[in-house]
């Protein structure tokens, strides 16, 4: 299963970087819109 190992080795870092970036982006937009601080 070379292809599965290759895909997982690519997906894991991508998810590790993209998901937190999206979460921080939504948090930033939400805080800017609501002006909580």
């Amino acid at each position: 299963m070379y292809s599965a190992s290759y895909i997982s080795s690519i997906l894991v870092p991508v998810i590790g970087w993209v998901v937190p970036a999206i979460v921080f982006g939504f948090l930033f937009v939400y805080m800017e819109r609501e002006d909580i601080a």
Side-chain angles (χ1 to χ4, degrees), residues 15-27:
I15 291 172
W17 283 101
V18 171
V19 171
I22 292 172
V23 170
F24 279 117
F26 275 118
L27 277 172

Side-chain angles (χ1 to χ4, degrees), residues 24-36:
F24 279 117
F26 275 118
L27 277 172
F28 181 76
V29 170
Y30 177 77
M31 290 181 69
E32 286 292 315
R33 192 191 308 163
E34 296 294 323
D35 199 13
I36 296 170

